[in-house]
Amino acid sequence: MAISKAFKQSLVKEFGGAEKNTGSTEVQIAILTAEINAITAHVSTNQKDFSTKRGLFKKVSQRRSLLNYLERTDIEKYRALVKKLEIRK
């Protein structure tokens, strides 16, 4: 259900540019997207796991807030990130 540390580090390198750039909006959105995808697979097989479902909703809401911030501040980065992560189809 959780993503590995190595996978997180690869996301940081890919979206943050440097290994230590973990706080950038793009990196946070990429990590949240990976976590959301992992939790979604778990919730689809365990429909009665309500606490995990609540955690999923919190992560989706946090990602939505970060996406709104990125859209307000830098529309080009927002569009590139949404396309790269395939958040909207």
Side-chain angles (χ1 to χ4, degrees):
M1 190 162 59
I3 60 175
S4 68
K5 187 174 182 178
F7 184 64
K8 258 188 195 180
Q9 288 175 343
S10 69
L11 287 174
V12 170
K13 280 184 185 177
E14 183 179 352
F15 291 98
E19 285 185 32
K20 301 207 179 214
N21 190 7
T22 58
S24 74
T25 308
E26 295 89 352
V27 172
Q28 291 181 42
I29 292 170
I31 290 172
L32 280 170
T33 300
E35 290 174 348
I36 287 168
N37 292 338
I39 294 172
T40 301
H42 171 79
V43 169
S44 66
T45 58
N46 301 294
Q47 288 92 10
K48 293 187 178 186
D49 190 356
F50 297 111
S51 60
T52 302
K53 217 180 265 193
R54 182 173 185 271
L56 173 65
F57 292 150
K58 286 176 73 173
K59 287 185 184 294
V60 169
S61 175
Q62 186 179 7
R63 182 180 72 177
R64 179 73 257 161
S65 298
L66 288 169
L67 282 168
N68 286 340
Y69 168 76
L70 188 61
E71 186 178 20
R72 276 194 323 267
T73 57
D74 193 352
I75 191 75
E76 294 303 319
K77 281 185 182 178
Y78 169 79
R79 289 179 181 152
L81 187 66
V82 166
K83 183 178 265 189
K84 191 168 189 179
L85 292 175
E86 298 176 355
I87 294 176
R88 290 180 184 72
K89 305 219 168 94

